Amino acid sequence: MPRKIPKETRQRAMRLVLDHLDEYPNLTTACQTVASRLGFGAESLRRWVRQAQVDAGARDGLTTNDLERIRKLERENRELREANAMADSTGQRNECCEMKQTLISGGIRCRASMVISVVSRSSSRSVSTRRGGGSSISPARSAARPRWSAAWRGKGVTSTGSRSAGSRARGI
């Protein structure tokens, strides 16, 4: 496992290389000499010096801040792609995403037709509740289904929803 070199030691080593760079034929030789004296890798020191030169504007390349921003954006992009892939595989993504894209890319005619089709589709699928608490299911269907679940029947609640006399006495 690579060891973590303290920031002060790194800065001192980079300062030594940059101060004595004119005494050596190239950057690599200067880094090898300084790194051997301080006891860490010459290639690591060379990369640190090059990045410091880029940050200072003495060399072409991406600055540390730009590299950090790019890494952050790439990580966010990867996470969003994974989330989209998971949503696609589990079927959680619905027509809403495609509809929004169509609404954004389409014109006014497209928007109006999409809104009409979405409203008609959503109203036919869902069961809306009324203000009084009843559902919009037909009376014949609501009479066919039991009013209370089996769990409520054991607790002294009648099918009309009121408590029986025995349950009142027991304090249930």
PDB file of all heavy atoms in Angstrom, residues 14 18 21 27 45-68 70-71:
ATOM      1  N   MET A  14       9.026  19.974  -3.817  1.00  0.00           N
ATOM      2  CA  MET A  14       8.762  20.696  -5.072  1.00  0.00           C
ATOM      3  C   MET A  14       9.533  22.011  -5.115  1.00  0.00           C
ATOM      4  O   MET A  14      10.063  22.394  -6.162  1.00  0.00           O
ATOM      5  CB  MET A  14       7.256  20.967  -5.216  1.00  0.00           C
ATOM      6  CG  MET A  14       6.452  19.718  -5.510  1.00  0.00           C
ATOM      7  SD  MET A  14       4.718  20.031  -5.900  1.00  0.00           S
ATOM      8  CE  MET A  14       4.100  20.800  -4.431  1.00  0.00           C
ATOM      9  N   LEU A  18      12.212  23.045  -8.014  1.00  0.00           N
ATOM     10  CA  LEU A  18      12.020  24.258  -8.817  1.00  0.00           C
ATOM     11  C   LEU A  18      13.144  25.273  -8.597  1.00  0.00           C
ATOM     12  O   LEU A  18      13.561  25.971  -9.540  1.00  0.00           O
ATOM     13  CB  LEU A  18      10.664  24.894  -8.494  1.00  0.00           C
ATOM     14  CG  LEU A  18       9.442  24.085  -8.959  1.00  0.00           C
ATOM     15  CD1 LEU A  18       8.157  24.710  -8.443  1.00  0.00           C
ATOM     16  CD2 LEU A  18       9.410  23.979 -10.478  1.00  0.00           C
ATOM     17  N   LEU A  21      16.372  23.704 -10.463  1.00  0.00           N
ATOM     18  CA  LEU A  21      16.108  23.101 -11.782  1.00  0.00           C
ATOM     19  C   LEU A  21      17.156  23.511 -12.811  1.00  0.00           C
ATOM     20  O   LEU A  21      17.544  22.699 -13.670  1.00  0.00           O
ATOM     21  CB  LEU A  21      14.709  23.493 -12.270  1.00  0.00           C
ATOM     22  CG  LEU A  21      14.176  22.817 -13.506  1.00  0.00           C
ATOM     23  CD1 LEU A  21      14.116  21.293 -13.296  1.00  0.00           C
ATOM     24  CD2 LEU A  21      12.799  23.322 -13.845  1.00  0.00           C
ATOM     25  N   LEU A  27      14.139  18.056 -15.937  1.00  0.00           N
ATOM     26  CA  LEU A  27      13.299  17.921 -14.759  1.00  0.00           C
ATOM     27  C   LEU A  27      13.436  16.537 -14.117  1.00  0.00           C
ATOM     28  O   LEU A  27      13.480  16.415 -12.892  1.00  0.00           O
ATOM     29  CB  LEU A  27      11.837  18.193 -15.133  1.00  0.00           C
ATOM     30  CG  LEU A  27      10.803  18.037 -14.034  1.00  0.00           C
ATOM     31  CD1 LEU A  27      11.021  19.060 -12.932  1.00  0.00           C
ATOM     32  CD2 LEU A  27       9.405  18.178 -14.592  1.00  0.00           C
ATOM     33  N   LEU A  45       7.443  12.712  -7.387  1.00  0.00           N
ATOM     34  CA  LEU A  45       7.912  14.094  -7.285  1.00  0.00           C
ATOM     35  C   LEU A  45       7.816  14.803  -8.628  1.00  0.00           C
ATOM     36  O   LEU A  45       7.398  15.964  -8.690  1.00  0.00           O
ATOM     37  CB  LEU A  45       9.346  14.130  -6.754  1.00  0.00           C
ATOM     38  CG  LEU A  45       9.984  15.507  -6.613  1.00  0.00           C
ATOM     39  CD1 LEU A  45       9.166  16.380  -5.677  1.00  0.00           C
ATOM     40  CD2 LEU A  45      11.418  15.372  -6.115  1.00  0.00           C
ATOM     41  N   ARG A  46       8.178  14.132  -9.713  1.00  0.00           N
ATOM     42  CA  ARG A  46       8.110  14.742 -11.041  1.00  0.00           C
ATOM     43  C   ARG A  46       6.670  15.123 -11.389  1.00  0.00           C
ATOM     44  O   ARG A  46       6.403  16.203 -11.914  1.00  0.00           O
ATOM     45  CB  ARG A  46       8.673  13.784 -12.098  1.00  0.00           C
ATOM     46  CG  ARG A  46       8.847  14.424 -13.466  1.00  0.00           C
ATOM     47  CD  ARG A  46       9.294  13.410 -14.499  1.00  0.00           C
ATOM     48  NE  ARG A  46       8.243  12.450 -14.792  1.00  0.00           N
ATOM     49  CZ  ARG A  46       7.204  12.688 -15.591  1.00  0.00           C
ATOM     50  NH1 ARG A  46       7.061  13.853 -16.168  1.00  0.00           N
ATOM     51  NH2 ARG A  46       6.299  11.765 -15.807  1.00  0.00           N
ATOM     52  N   ARG A  47       5.696  14.234 -11.067  1.00  0.00           N
ATOM     53  CA  ARG A  47       4.287  14.547 -11.342  1.00  0.00           C
ATOM     54  C   ARG A  47       3.806  15.725 -10.502  1.00  0.00           C
ATOM     55  O   ARG A  47       3.055  16.572 -10.972  1.00  0.00           O
ATOM     56  CB  ARG A  47       3.411  13.317 -11.099  1.00  0.00           C
ATOM     57  CG  ARG A  47       3.511  12.303 -12.237  1.00  0.00           C
ATOM     58  CD  ARG A  47       2.521  11.167 -12.107  1.00  0.00           C
ATOM     59  NE  ARG A  47       2.971  10.235 -11.082  1.00  0.00           N
ATOM     60  CZ  ARG A  47       2.298   9.924  -9.976  1.00  0.00           C
ATOM     61  NH1 ARG A  47       1.126  10.442  -9.741  1.00  0.00           N
ATOM     62  NH2 ARG A  47       2.790   9.075  -9.103  1.00  0.00           N
ATOM     63  N   TRP A  48       4.237  15.796  -9.248  1.00  0.00           N
ATOM     64  CA  TRP A  48       3.837  16.913  -8.386  1.00  0.00           C
ATOM     65  C   TRP A  48       4.373  18.235  -8.939  1.00  0.00           C
ATOM     66  O   TRP A  48       3.673  19.239  -8.958  1.00  0.00           O
ATOM     67  CB  TRP A  48       4.354  16.729  -6.971  1.00  0.00           C
ATOM     68  CG  TRP A  48       3.825  15.526  -6.253  1.00  0.00           C
ATOM     69  CD1 TRP A  48       2.650  14.866  -6.490  1.00  0.00           C
ATOM     70  CD2 TRP A  48       4.465  14.845  -5.185  1.00  0.00           C
ATOM     71  NE1 TRP A  48       2.525  13.807  -5.632  1.00  0.00           N
ATOM     72  CE2 TRP A  48       3.619  13.770  -4.808  1.00  0.00           C
ATOM     73  CE3 TRP A  48       5.666  15.026  -4.504  1.00  0.00           C
ATOM     74  CZ2 TRP A  48       3.942  12.890  -3.791  1.00  0.00           C
ATOM     75  CZ3 TRP A  48       5.984  14.159  -3.477  1.00  0.00           C
ATOM     76  CH2 TRP A  48       5.124  13.095  -3.126  1.00  0.00           C
ATOM     77  N   VAL A  49       5.651  18.213  -9.377  1.00  0.00           N
ATOM     78  CA  VAL A  49       6.277  19.433  -9.914  1.00  0.00           C
ATOM     79  C   VAL A  49       5.567  19.855 -11.195  1.00  0.00           C
ATOM     80  O   VAL A  49       5.271  21.042 -11.392  1.00  0.00           O
ATOM     81  CB  VAL A  49       7.793  19.226 -10.141  1.00  0.00           C
ATOM     82  CG1 VAL A  49       8.396  20.385 -10.905  1.00  0.00           C
ATOM     83  CG2 VAL A  49       8.501  19.027  -8.818  1.00  0.00           C
ATOM     84  N   ARG A  50       5.286  18.906 -12.074  1.00  0.00           N
ATOM     85  CA  ARG A  50       4.590  19.253 -13.324  1.00  0.00           C
ATOM     86  C   ARG A  50       3.215  19.831 -13.049  1.00  0.00           C
ATOM     87  O   ARG A  50       2.806  20.804 -13.679  1.00  0.00           O
ATOM     88  CB  ARG A  50       4.477  18.022 -14.220  1.00  0.00           C
ATOM     89  CG  ARG A  50       5.814  17.635 -14.835  1.00  0.00           C
ATOM     90  CD  ARG A  50       5.652  16.539 -15.798  1.00  0.00           C
ATOM     91  NE  ARG A  50       4.796  17.003 -16.888  1.00  0.00           N
ATOM     92  CZ  ARG A  50       4.856  16.553 -18.118  1.00  0.00           C
ATOM     93  NH1 ARG A  50       5.709  15.628 -18.420  1.00  0.00           N
ATOM     94  NH2 ARG A  50       4.050  17.004 -19.043  1.00  0.00           N
ATOM     95  N   GLN A  51       2.481  19.246 -12.081  1.00  0.00           N
ATOM     96  CA  GLN A  51       1.165  19.776 -11.751  1.00  0.00           C
ATOM     97  C   GLN A  51       1.276  21.179 -11.144  1.00  0.00           C
ATOM     98  O   GLN A  51       0.457  22.046 -11.427  1.00  0.00           O
ATOM     99  CB  GLN A  51       0.415  18.840 -10.797  1.00  0.00           C
ATOM    100  CG  GLN A  51      -1.027  19.217 -10.577  1.00  0.00           C
ATOM    101  CD  GLN A  51      -1.854  19.184 -11.857  1.00  0.00           C
ATOM    102  OE1 GLN A  51      -1.805  18.218 -12.614  1.00  0.00           O
ATOM    103  NE2 GLN A  51      -2.611  20.246 -12.100  1.00  0.00           N
ATOM    104  N   ALA A  52       2.302  21.419 -10.344  1.00  0.00           N
ATOM    105  CA  ALA A  52       2.522  22.752  -9.773  1.00  0.00           C
ATOM    106  C   ALA A  52       2.828  23.760 -10.875  1.00  0.00           C
ATOM    107  O   ALA A  52       2.369  24.915 -10.823  1.00  0.00           O
ATOM    108  CB  ALA A  52       3.656  22.711  -8.753  1.00  0.00           C
ATOM    109  N   GLN A  53       3.577  23.348 -11.881  1.00  0.00           N
ATOM    110  CA  GLN A  53       3.875  24.230 -13.009  1.00  0.00           C
ATOM    111  C   GLN A  53       2.603  24.543 -13.809  1.00  0.00           C
ATOM    112  O   GLN A  53       2.399  25.671 -14.248  1.00  0.00           O
ATOM    113  CB  GLN A  53       4.928  23.603 -13.920  1.00  0.00           C
ATOM    114  CG  GLN A  53       6.311  23.588 -13.311  1.00  0.00           C
ATOM    115  CD  GLN A  53       7.303  22.816 -14.174  1.00  0.00           C
ATOM    116  OE1 GLN A  53       6.931  21.967 -14.974  1.00  0.00           O
ATOM    117  NE2 GLN A  53       8.586  23.138 -13.993  1.00  0.00           N
ATOM    118  N   VAL A  54       1.721  23.556 -13.985  1.00  0.00           N
ATOM    119  CA  VAL A  54       0.449  23.779 -14.679  1.00  0.00           C
ATOM    120  C   VAL A  54      -0.427  24.735 -13.880  1.00  0.00           C
ATOM    121  O   VAL A  54      -1.019  25.669 -14.430  1.00  0.00           O
ATOM    122  CB  VAL A  54      -0.291  22.432 -14.920  1.00  0.00           C
ATOM    123  CG1 VAL A  54      -1.716  22.671 -15.383  1.00  0.00           C
ATOM    124  CG2 VAL A  54       0.452  21.598 -15.933  1.00  0.00           C
ATOM    125  N   ASP A  55      -0.502  24.516 -12.570  1.00  0.00           N
ATOM    126  CA  ASP A  55      -1.314  25.390 -11.722  1.00  0.00           C
ATOM    127  C   ASP A  55      -0.801  26.825 -11.738  1.00  0.00           C
ATOM    128  O   ASP A  55      -1.580  27.777 -11.634  1.00  0.00           O
ATOM    129  CB  ASP A  55      -1.356  24.867 -10.282  1.00  0.00           C
ATOM    130  CG  ASP A  55      -2.173  23.585 -10.149  1.00  0.00           C
ATOM    131  OD1 ASP A  55      -2.952  23.264 -11.074  1.00  0.00           O
ATOM    132  OD2 ASP A  55      -2.018  22.900  -9.111  1.00  0.00           O
ATOM    133  N   ALA A  56       0.524  26.999 -11.846  1.00  0.00           N
ATOM    134  CA  ALA A  56       1.116  28.335 -11.873  1.00  0.00           C
ATOM    135  C   ALA A  56       1.006  28.984 -13.248  1.00  0.00           C
ATOM    136  O   ALA A  56       1.243  30.181 -13.389  1.00  0.00           O
ATOM    137  CB  ALA A  56       2.581  28.257 -11.454  1.00  0.00           C
ATOM    138  N   GLY A  57       0.663  28.206 -14.272  1.00  0.00           N
ATOM    139  CA  GLY A  57       0.539  28.751 -15.620  1.00  0.00           C
ATOM    140  C   GLY A  57       1.807  28.656 -16.439  1.00  0.00           C
ATOM    141  O   GLY A  57       1.870  29.159 -17.557  1.00  0.00           O
ATOM    142  N   ALA A  58       2.853  28.031 -15.908  1.00  0.00           N
ATOM    143  CA  ALA A  58       4.122  27.902 -16.618  1.00  0.00           C
ATOM    144  C   ALA A  58       4.097  26.763 -17.628  1.00  0.00           C
ATOM    145  O   ALA A  58       4.970  26.678 -18.493  1.00  0.00           O
ATOM    146  CB  ALA A  58       5.258  27.674 -15.619  1.00  0.00           C
ATOM    147  N   ARG A  59       3.131  25.886 -17.562  1.00  0.00           N
ATOM    148  CA  ARG A  59       3.043  24.727 -18.451  1.00  0.00           C
ATOM    149  C   ARG A  59       1.586  24.550 -18.867  1.00  0.00           C
ATOM    150  O   ARG A  59       0.667  24.853 -18.111  1.00  0.00           O
ATOM    151  CB  ARG A  59       3.532  23.487 -17.693  1.00  0.00           C
ATOM    152  CG  ARG A  59       3.650  22.246 -18.524  1.00  0.00           C
ATOM    153  CD  ARG A  59       4.093  21.070 -17.672  1.00  0.00           C
ATOM    154  NE  ARG A  59       5.491  21.119 -17.299  1.00  0.00           N
ATOM    155  CZ  ARG A  59       6.467  20.487 -17.958  1.00  0.00           C
ATOM    156  NH1 ARG A  59       6.178  19.764 -19.002  1.00  0.00           N
ATOM    157  NH2 ARG A  59       7.703  20.575 -17.549  1.00  0.00           N
ATOM    158  N   ASP A  60       1.380  24.058 -20.075  1.00  0.00           N
ATOM    159  CA  ASP A  60       0.016  23.802 -20.554  1.00  0.00           C
ATOM    160  C   ASP A  60      -0.564  22.567 -19.880  1.00  0.00           C
ATOM    161  O   ASP A  60       0.166  21.620 -19.571  1.00  0.00           O
ATOM    162  CB  ASP A  60       0.004  23.579 -22.073  1.00  0.00           C
ATOM    163  CG  ASP A  60       0.283  24.862 -22.842  1.00  0.00           C
ATOM    164  OD1 ASP A  60       0.045  25.942 -22.268  1.00  0.00           O
ATOM    165  OD2 ASP A  60       0.719  24.781 -24.007  1.00  0.00           O
ATOM    166  N   GLY A  61      -1.876  22.589 -19.670  1.00  0.00           N
ATOM    167  CA  GLY A  61      -2.557  21.443 -19.084  1.00  0.00           C
ATOM    168  C   GLY A  61      -3.741  21.886 -18.236  1.00  0.00           C
ATOM    169  O   GLY A  61      -4.042  23.078 -18.118  1.00  0.00           O
ATOM    170  N   LEU A  62      -4.415  20.911 -17.658  1.00  0.00           N
ATOM    171  CA  LEU A  62      -5.571  21.192 -16.802  1.00  0.00           C
ATOM    172  C   LEU A  62      -5.114  21.446 -15.378  1.00  0.00           C
ATOM    173  O   LEU A  62      -4.328  20.682 -14.818  1.00  0.00           O
ATOM    174  CB  LEU A  62      -6.544  20.009 -16.825  1.00  0.00           C
ATOM    175  CG  LEU A  62      -7.226  19.727 -18.156  1.00  0.00           C
ATOM    176  CD1 LEU A  62      -8.003  18.427 -18.085  1.00  0.00           C
ATOM    177  CD2 LEU A  62      -8.162  20.866 -18.511  1.00  0.00           C
ATOM    178  N   THR A  63      -5.641  22.504 -14.780  1.00  0.00           N
ATOM    179  CA  THR A  63      -5.275  22.833 -13.410  1.00  0.00           C
ATOM    180  C   THR A  63      -5.921  21.843 -12.443  1.00  0.00           C
ATOM    181  O   THR A  63      -6.824  21.086 -12.806  1.00  0.00           O
ATOM    182  CB  THR A  63      -5.719  24.259 -13.047  1.00  0.00           C
ATOM    183  OG1 THR A  63      -7.136  24.321 -13.111  1.00  0.00           O
ATOM    184  CG2 THR A  63      -5.094  25.283 -13.979  1.00  0.00           C
ATOM    185  N   THR A  64      -5.481  21.882 -11.204  1.00  0.00           N
ATOM    186  CA  THR A  64      -6.012  20.989 -10.177  1.00  0.00           C
ATOM    187  C   THR A  64      -7.497  21.214  -9.969  1.00  0.00           C
ATOM    188  O   THR A  64      -8.267  20.263  -9.826  1.00  0.00           O
ATOM    189  CB  THR A  64      -5.246  21.205  -8.851  1.00  0.00           C
ATOM    190  OG1 THR A  64      -3.848  21.030  -9.103  1.00  0.00           O
ATOM    191  CG2 THR A  64      -5.690  20.234  -7.794  1.00  0.00           C
ATOM    192  N   ASN A  65      -7.925  22.479  -9.965  1.00  0.00           N
ATOM    193  CA  ASN A  65      -9.343  22.782  -9.794  1.00  0.00           C
ATOM    194  C   ASN A  65     -10.179  22.230 -10.946  1.00  0.00           C
ATOM    195  O   ASN A  65     -11.271  21.703 -10.731  1.00  0.00           O
ATOM    196  CB  ASN A  65      -9.565  24.293  -9.670  1.00  0.00           C
ATOM    197  CG  ASN A  65      -8.978  24.853  -8.401  1.00  0.00           C
ATOM    198  OD1 ASN A  65      -8.809  24.133  -7.425  1.00  0.00           O
ATOM    199  ND2 ASN A  65      -8.656  26.134  -8.409  1.00  0.00           N
ATOM    200  N   ASP A  66      -9.667  22.371 -12.177  1.00  0.00           N
ATOM    201  CA  ASP A  66     -10.390  21.833 -13.341  1.00  0.00           C
ATOM    202  C   ASP A  66     -10.489  20.311 -13.269  1.00  0.00           C
ATOM    203  O   ASP A  66     -11.547  19.736 -13.551  1.00  0.00           O
ATOM    204  CB  ASP A  66      -9.697  22.237 -14.647  1.00  0.00           C
ATOM    205  CG  ASP A  66      -9.828  23.729 -14.929  1.00  0.00           C
ATOM    206  OD1 ASP A  66     -10.719  24.366 -14.336  1.00  0.00           O
ATOM    207  OD2 ASP A  66      -9.023  24.243 -15.741  1.00  0.00           O
ATOM    208  N   LEU A  67      -9.394  19.669 -12.893  1.00  0.00           N
ATOM    209  CA  LEU A  67      -9.400  18.203 -12.782  1.00  0.00           C
ATOM    210  C   LEU A  67     -10.390  17.735 -11.722  1.00  0.00           C
ATOM    211  O   LEU A  67     -11.115  16.749 -11.918  1.00  0.00           O
ATOM    212  CB  LEU A  67      -8.000  17.689 -12.462  1.00  0.00           C
ATOM    213  CG  LEU A  67      -6.980  17.783 -13.593  1.00  0.00           C
ATOM    214  CD1 LEU A  67      -5.584  17.457 -13.076  1.00  0.00           C
ATOM    215  CD2 LEU A  67      -7.363  16.868 -14.724  1.00  0.00           C
ATOM    216  N   GLU A  68     -10.437  18.448 -10.605  1.00  0.00           N
ATOM    217  CA  GLU A  68     -11.370  18.085  -9.532  1.00  0.00           C
ATOM    218  C   GLU A  68     -12.819  18.260  -9.994  1.00  0.00           C
ATOM    219  O   GLU A  68     -13.668  17.410  -9.730  1.00  0.00           O
ATOM    220  CB  GLU A  68     -11.092  18.968  -8.312  1.00  0.00           C
ATOM    221  CG  GLU A  68     -11.930  18.633  -7.106  1.00  0.00           C
ATOM    222  CD  GLU A  68     -11.573  19.516  -5.921  1.00  0.00           C
ATOM    223  OE1 GLU A  68     -10.387  19.869  -5.775  1.00  0.00           O
ATOM    224  OE2 GLU A  68     -12.493  19.846  -5.167  1.00  0.00           O
ATOM    225  N   ILE A  70     -13.929  18.144 -13.108  1.00  0.00           N
ATOM    226  CA  ILE A  70     -14.206  17.109 -14.107  1.00  0.00           C
ATOM    227  C   ILE A  70     -14.493  15.779 -13.425  1.00  0.00           C
ATOM    228  O   ILE A  70     -15.433  15.068 -13.782  1.00  0.00           O
ATOM    229  CB  ILE A  70     -13.034  16.991 -15.103  1.00  0.00           C
ATOM    230  CG1 ILE A  70     -13.016  18.220 -16.014  1.00  0.00           C
ATOM    231  CG2 ILE A  70     -13.145  15.713 -15.934  1.00  0.00           C
ATOM    232  CD1 ILE A  70     -11.780  18.323 -16.878  1.00  0.00           C
ATOM    233  N   ARG A  71     -13.688  15.413 -12.414  1.00  0.00           N
ATOM    234  CA  ARG A  71     -13.920  14.161 -11.683  1.00  0.00           C
ATOM    235  C   ARG A  71     -15.283  14.155 -11.017  1.00  0.00           C
ATOM    236  O   ARG A  71     -16.005  13.153 -11.038  1.00  0.00           O
ATOM    237  CB  ARG A  71     -12.838  13.957 -10.621  1.00  0.00           C
ATOM    238  CG  ARG A  71     -11.564  13.386 -11.165  1.00  0.00           C
ATOM    239  CD  ARG A  71     -10.617  12.983 -10.038  1.00  0.00           C
ATOM    240  NE  ARG A  71      -9.263  13.136 -10.512  1.00  0.00           N
ATOM    241  CZ  ARG A  71      -8.399  14.040 -10.079  1.00  0.00           C
ATOM    242  NH1 ARG A  71      -8.726  14.872  -9.122  1.00  0.00           N
ATOM    243  NH2 ARG A  71      -7.194  14.112 -10.593  1.00  0.00           N
TER     244      ARG A  71
END
